[in-house]
Amino acid sequence: MKAIVDCNSFYCSCERLFRPDLRDKPVVVLSNNDGCIISRSDEAQRLGIAMAVPYFQARHIIEKHNITVFSSNYHLYGDLSWRVMQTLRTLMGDNDKVEVYSVDESFLDLDESSPDRLQQLAKEIKTTVETWTGISVSIGIAPTKTLAKMANRMAKKDKQSSGCITVLATEPAIDAALRQTRVDSLWGVGKAYAAKLLNWGITSAWELSNMSEEWAHSNMGGVVGVRLIRELKGQPAIEMEEELVQKKMIATTRMFGRPVTAVGDLKEAVATYISRAAEKLRRQQSAAGVVSVFIVPGEQDYMTGFRHGPNISSHVSLPKPTSLTHELIKPAVELVEQLYENGRTYKKAGVMLSGLVPDDSIQGNLFVPQVENQHRFLMNTIDNINFAMRDDSVKFGSAGLTKDWKMRQELRSGRHSTRWEELAAVK
Amino acid sequence: MELEQFYGINYKGSKRFTQWDVPTANATGFGAAADDYMERGIDLNEQLVRNKPATFFMRVSGDAMTGAGIFSGDVVIVDRSVKAVSGKVVIASLNGELLIRRLEKTFNKIRLVPETPRLSPIDVDVSGAEFSIWGVVTYVIHSL
């Protein structure tokens, strides 16, 4: 049996933890740069706030109903996410039985639990996570990951009657659930895939589960289709994944707080993103062989965040993979110069480091010039200082000092769980 | 961040260390004897944080608990996994506010008792008020 534990309106729940006055009130959280609504409480949803709508479009509803709005506070969400996952690991007693799937969802491997105890177990997990972290969760349990996702969806649909828990352990229960689930709401079925299925006349998950594996193999994209069918039939085909230890590429992308026209500002932004990406690179002990840069021109309507101009991107291969910030900044800044067109406004930029290989400079290499080892020590020192002091205490000059282009986060709450200076107050 | 790091259940603290972090006297002469008694030192995280995912820090703003040695501006360590039994100092959420008080629980009554003569105890009307226990205060950090 597999379970999925999913935090309810995660970002909103995080915000409410230190604001008990908002307990039953409508709350929304905005994306980076206050562009769109990325999390909404049940109350906000009931008032007609849709997911991912631009902030300005929902503004009239927000003002009319006095909905509380927050800018995203990733320090807070990241910390609470860790707390939730850590609680699950403690409860499971074995790291391998917890697969963190996203910031607010985790798969649990319950193969060793007896089927008649699952409901009770789910209740215990839910209560413990809520008591320890203050974040409420929904739990779906079923024989496979895909069915567990489906169960979780049902649990969330009617929280009152389900108590946020749905267990599909018997064949009749699974059968009934499949019948009331549409194919387009299944895990792993995207829009295009769903359209294809509808063309075949398959609308419910139950109909899909009754198709044969051969049919899926020839009509639904080979192995992927077969896996989906098996999962729906209750045969585990998607196993628990081990934690992604080393990423294959590292990207940093942000919207600017205001449109940027000067090439200097653009270079500063890209240098800052490279610094952040290089830090991540060193943390996973890799070196990058390819640096890519992209910049997005924003035509007039930058407020909506939706009218993307065409991406302008370019990449360069390095003579030798490196993890040193200054060796990465240089080619990146040169790329910006190539891509930049005078007179245009830009609203977003990003960098990507790829071609990752293990960083052999970490231990100090006997066979390279002394100066390279020194550079590595310099990077370690910078990383250590920035990790301890935070907010980029030490940085490269090309990343700029003022950062006019930085993200807008006007409504951000305090970083209550990670910063000594920003602790929540109690009277 | 090192947050992804997992510690065994039995490990109570939050600091990672290896045997190499234990300092040695590094004496050239009669050093070995001192080395035998070298220890890792005291880690406050280990002593004060019993259950890391459930432990939060909060800043006291007000004089409600001065009698218990908790003053305005102090930082309290709050453990959400500790059971709130009668007599504990707790963070309570009452009508949208976070309050620090001593919890007094009898079979049919809940009271939040301040430790200062300037405030009076609050009788919690469990059916009417929006009330819950946020966490239990385990330590107070007071700057002298």
Side-chain angles (χ1 to χ4, degrees):
Chain A
M1 284 287 179
K2 304 280 188 295
I4 180 129
V5 180
D6 188 353
C7 303
N8 297 333
S9 314
F10 180 54
Y11 295 169
C12 291
S13 303
C14 295
E15 295 293 352
R16 278 173 164 167
L17 178 56
F18 296 98
R19 290 284 303 274
D21 56 310
L22 299 177
R23 201 171 70 168
D24 301 313
K25 305 276 181 339
V27 174
V28 296
V29 174
L30 305 177
S31 62
N32 269 343
N33 223 21
D34 295 353
C36 312
I37 289 165
I38 48 169
S39 180
R40 62 215 161 120
S41 67
D42 289 346
E43 295 79 9
Q45 191 176 344
R46 276 197 289 274
L47 290 172
I49 302 273
M51 197 58 180
V53 295
Y55 178 31
F56 78 96
Q57 264 181 32
R59 214 158 189 158
H60 66 283
I61 309 182
I62 288 170
E63 273 157 19
K64 189 171 152 208
H65 297 284
N66 211 3
I67 299 176
T68 310
V69 182
F70 290 97
S71 298
S72 36
N73 181 352
Y74 289 108
H75 298 265
L76 179 68
Y77 311 152
D79 179 60
L80 285 164
S81 168
W82 174 84
R83 287 169 187 267
V84 170
M85 304 313 172
Q86 190 62 16
T87 305
L88 293 175
R89 290 190 192 106
T90 308
L91 289 172
M92 297 299 291
D94 181 353
N95 280 359
D96 295 339
K97 295 204 187 313
V98 180
E99 176 195 335
V100 177
Y101 181 63
S102 74
V103 67
D104 59 353
E105 303 168 90
S106 223
F107 284 108
L108 305 181
D109 185 346
L110 300 179
D111 283 349
E112 284 164 24
S113 313
S114 80
D116 49 316
R117 268 207 69 232
L118 290 172
Q119 187 79 32
Q120 183 56 31
L121 186 70
K123 236 182 231 160
E124 282 169 26
I125 292 173
K126 182 175 160 60
T127 314
T128 308
V129 171
E130 287 177 11
T131 313
W132 287 18
T133 68
I135 302 295
S136 75
V137 295
S138 297
I139 301 179
I141 298 181
T144 68
K145 277 182 168 181
T146 309
L147 291 175
K149 272 281 212 184
M150 188 175 80
N152 188 55
R153 214 175 147 272
M154 296 169 66
K156 278 204 164 178
K157 220 174 197 172
D158 190 357
K159 289 180 184 148
Q160 287 281 307
S161 65
S162 70
C164 292
I165 294 169
T166 298
V167 179
L168 301 176
T170 61
E171 243 172 73
I174 295 171
D175 209 69
L178 283 168
R179 279 172 198 270
Q180 51 169 288
T181 304
R182 287 174 53 88
V183 281
D184 54 359
S185 53
L186 284 174
W187 184 49
V189 175
K191 258 199 190 131
Y193 213 77
K196 218 165 139 188
L197 289 169
L198 290 175
N199 255 337
W200 286 100
I202 297 170
T203 50
S204 77
W206 183 78
E207 286 164 326
L208 184 59
S209 72
N210 280 318
M211 303 308 282
S212 73
E213 286 183 18
E214 294 73 35
W215 178 86
H217 196 272
S218 46
N219 294 308
M220 287 181 50
V223 190
V224 185
V226 174
R227 244 187 356 208
L228 180 59
I229 299 273
R230 279 199 192 151
E231 284 264 311
L232 290 177
K233 288 183 198 289
Q235 308 154 6
I238 305 172
E239 280 310 316
M240 299 288 285
E241 274 173 46
E242 282 173 30
E243 260 179 78
L244 223 52
V245 184
Q246 291 205 330
K247 293 202 177 119
K248 300 230 170 62
M249 59 180 182
I250 292 169
T252 305
T253 317
R254 302 272 153 80
M255 292 274 275
F256 299 138
R258 56 166 184 76
V260 160
T261 50
V263 68
D265 284 351
L266 214 51
K267 281 190 196 165
E268 271 187 20
V270 165
T272 305
Y273 302 161
I274 286 276
S275 308
R276 179 57 25 94
E279 213 177 280
K280 288 189 209 162
L281 187 69
R282 292 192 289 271
R283 209 175 298 149
Q284 69 166 46
Q285 313 202 327
S286 300
V290 179
V291 179
S292 317
V293 168
F294 68 89
I295 52 181
V296 183
E299 317 305 351
Q300 296 307 309
D301 208 7
Y302 69 93
M303 279 298 283
T304 70
F306 268 98
R307 235 168 263 181
H308 281 272
N311 269 7
I312 299 174
S313 72
S314 185
H315 67 274
V316 62
S317 296
L318 303 173
K320 183 170 93 54
T322 180
S323 65
L324 303 177
T325 305
H326 58 273
E327 286 183 7
L328 293 164
I329 284 182
K330 218 175 140 210
V333 167
E334 282 167 14
L335 287 174
V336 174
E337 251 161 33
Q338 282 171 30
L339 296 171
Y340 176 77
E341 278 177 57
N342 205 358
R344 281 193 104 157
T345 42
Y346 295 91
K347 57 171 191 175
K348 188 175 182 178
V351 301
M352 195 173 81
L353 304 177
S354 49
L356 303 192
V357 296
D359 189 359
D360 51 15
S361 74
I362 289 165
Q363 255 125 26
N365 193 332
L366 207 56
F367 302 101
V368 299
Q370 178 66 20
V371 62
E372 278 190 34
N373 286 336
Q374 283 171 357
H375 283 152
R376 181 67 218 187
F377 294 138
L378 174 66
M379 290 303 134
N380 283 345
T381 310
I382 291 176
D383 288 349
N384 282 339
I385 292 173
N386 283 340
F387 188 72
M389 314 292 292
R390 312 192 213 197
D391 284 339
D392 293 339
S393 304
V394 179
K395 61 194 171 196
F396 283 83
S398 46
L401 290 173
T402 48
K403 294 193 182 162
D404 278 346
W405 42 268
K406 231 181 144 188
M407 266 207 296
R408 246 197 332 248
Q409 285 190 317
E410 280 155 7
L411 305 161
R412 208 200 61 202
S413 53
R415 291 166 283 194
H416 301 306
S417 62
T418 52
R419 300 275 174 132
W420 193 254
E421 313 78 42
E422 298 180 23
L423 298 177
V426 289
K427 280 203 222 162
Chain B
M1 279 214 253
E2 286 171 61
L3 294 180
E4 292 92 323
Q5 212 66 42
F6 173 69
Y7 315 101
I9 302 169
N10 297 327
Y11 182 65
K12 299 184 204 134
S14 55
K15 195 166 185 301
R16 221 168 25 129
F17 61 87
T18 66
Q19 55 172 317
W20 314 116
D21 294 337
V22 178
T24 62
N26 266 338
T28 48
F30 191 62
D35 270 357
D36 288 348
Y37 298 97
M38 274 298 173
E39 282 191 281
R40 194 164 50 81
I42 291 167
D43 176 359
L44 285 180
N45 274 317
E46 222 171 291
Q47 300 304 319
L48 306 184
V49 178
R50 278 172 258 179
N51 185 358
K52 198 175 176 207
T55 302
F56 294 84
F57 295 74
M58 291 180 144
R59 175 106 34 204
V60 179
S61 148
D63 301 321
M65 296 303 286
T66 48
I70 304 171
F71 298 90
S72 195
D74 287 359
V75 170
V76 285
I77 303 181
V78 182
D79 191 334
R80 292 180 55 102
S81 63
V82 171
K83 195 162 186 262
V85 294
S86 190
K88 292 264 188 204
V89 175
V90 298
I91 304 296
S93 156
L94 182 66
N95 296 326
E97 267 192 312
L98 291 174
L99 303 174
I100 180 167
R101 295 289 190 278
R102 199 176 289 284
L103 180 70
E104 251 184 46
K105 234 166 150 179
T106 50
F107 70 101
N108 59 353
K109 214 164 137 192
I110 291 179
R111 291 211 318 162
L112 295 173
V113 185
E115 301 228 349
T116 168
R118 300 201 296 118
L119 294 170
S120 41
I122 304 166
D123 286 304
V124 180
D125 169 17
V126 188
S127 59
E130 229 179 72
F131 171 78
S132 64
I133 298 291
W134 200 96
V136 171
V137 177
T138 51
Y139 291 95
V140 54
I141 302 168
H142 177 77
S143 172
L144 292 173

